[in-house]
Amino acid sequence: DAKTTQPTSMDCAEGRAANLPCNHSTISGNEYVYWYRQIHSQGPQYIIHGLKNNETNEMASLIITEDRKSSTLILPHATLRDTAVYYCIVRASNTGGFKTIFGAGTRLFVKA
Amino acid sequence: EAQVTQNPRYLITVTGKKLTVTCSQNMNHEYMSWYRQDPGLGLRQIYYSMNVEVTDKGDVPEGYKVSRKEKRNFPLILESPSPNQTSLYFCASSLDTEAFFGQGTRLTVV
């Protein structure tokens, strides 16, 4: 699975959009970009994933660059409850045995 | 409700005393996995399973065993726990895309 690079931490004002970047320059053609978040030692929570098209769900939007070497997770209206560590992961959708590598992630602080 | 259930949530044990952390999922997922999380090291995969009776090592399998006799259960076994296995453990299950994680088991080995 391709390696990802994320900023260590970011701040965001409550109510504003939080834009979390991720670099994955070695991504392969069959690999998807996944985002998870972990709130204070709880189990990680799935947010969104995509292959090459932009994706949106009730939690967030995922913007993937045309060359697929980077992506941005957007939380459109961040709340205090969005304070968490956000992980960007690249893996094949059906990778054998569900082998998934989590990096260090980005610690997002949403401030009132 | 779809969920992954781990037990116990908290455990303090002594070095060398065998223990089992159970993990059960009710979503009929084929894939299950165990992770440990340590400060500064993030989430590291211990073992994973593609289906019943099919398991494989992750990145940090030493000192752990797993079994997958039924699709819903994936217990993590520490035959002879040591203090360096003090950690926060997570079980996860997946069909092929979204993974569901349990709430974690905080294990302390003294």
Side-chain angles (χ1 to χ4, degrees):
Chain A
D1 291 335
K3 183 179 178 180
T4 62
T5 305
Q6 300 177 250
T8 303
S9 66
M10 295 181 64
D11 289 346
C12 179
E14 188 179 22
R16 304 297 293 268
N19 297 290
L20 290 89
C22 179
N23 286 323
H24 31 79
S25 59
T26 60
I27 192 170
S28 299
N30 67 337
E31 289 181 314
Y32 288 70
V33 180
Y34 282 75
W35 284 84
Y36 285 81
R37 73 179 183 184
Q38 186 177 24
I39 298 173
H40 187 55
S41 297
Q42 295 179 19
Q45 175 190 23
Y46 166 85
I47 301 173
I48 199 168
H49 77 283
L51 182 62
K52 50 185 173 182
N53 296 324
N54 298 337
E55 302 288 343
T56 295
N57 63 20
E58 65 279 2
M59 289 183 68
S61 294
L62 174 61
I63 308 297
I64 302 174
T65 58
E66 193 168 341
D67 63 6
R68 303 210 322 123
K69 293 181 185 295
S70 66
S71 60
T72 300
L73 178 75
I74 301 172
L75 308 178
H77 305 286
T79 70
L80 298 179
R81 288 176 295 179
D82 292 323
T83 292
V85 177
Y86 287 78
Y87 298 99
C88 171
I89 298 161
V90 172
R91 58 177 281 250
S93 178
N94 295 326
T95 190
F98 176 39
K99 186 169 175 61
T100 298
I101 300 172
F102 283 80
T106 296
R107 188 170 294 274
L108 176 68
F109 296 95
V110 180
K111 301 182 176 180
Chain B
E1 179 189 354
Q3 59 185 3
V4 177
T5 303
Q6 295 179 227
N7 279 298
R9 293 289 310 280
Y10 302 91
L11 178 61
I12 301 174
T13 189
V14 296
T15 298
K17 185 177 181 181
K18 180 179 178 180
L19 68 90
T20 299
V21 184
T22 64
C23 175
S24 180
Q25 50 96 2
N26 62 0
M27 296 166 279
N28 201 38
H29 286 166
E30 292 183 349
Y31 301 136
M32 296 188 74
S33 184
W34 275 103
Y35 294 83
R36 62 177 288 173
Q37 187 170 33
D38 303 288
L41 297 175
L43 281 153
R44 294 180 293 169
Q45 197 166 37
I46 303 171
Y47 269 94
Y48 57 98
S49 169
M50 296 173 63
N51 211 328
V52 175
E53 302 293 0
V54 182
T55 63
D56 208 346
K57 296 178 180 179
D59 297 316
V60 287
E62 295 77 21
Y64 304 94
K65 287 174 58 176
V66 292
S67 69
R68 189 90 183 274
K69 294 184 172 59
E70 324 164 80
K71 186 179 274 192
R72 64 183 291 122
N73 295 322
F74 191 45
L76 180 69
I77 303 155
L78 285 72
E79 294 273 3
S80 182
S82 62
N84 65 13
Q85 292 177 299
T86 292
S87 188
L88 178 59
Y89 291 87
F90 290 103
C91 178
S93 76
S94 171
L95 195 55
D96 57 10
T97 54
E98 176 183 357
F100 293 81
F101 284 79
Q103 285 304 299
T105 295
R106 191 169 291 280
L107 172 66
T108 302
V109 183
V110 298

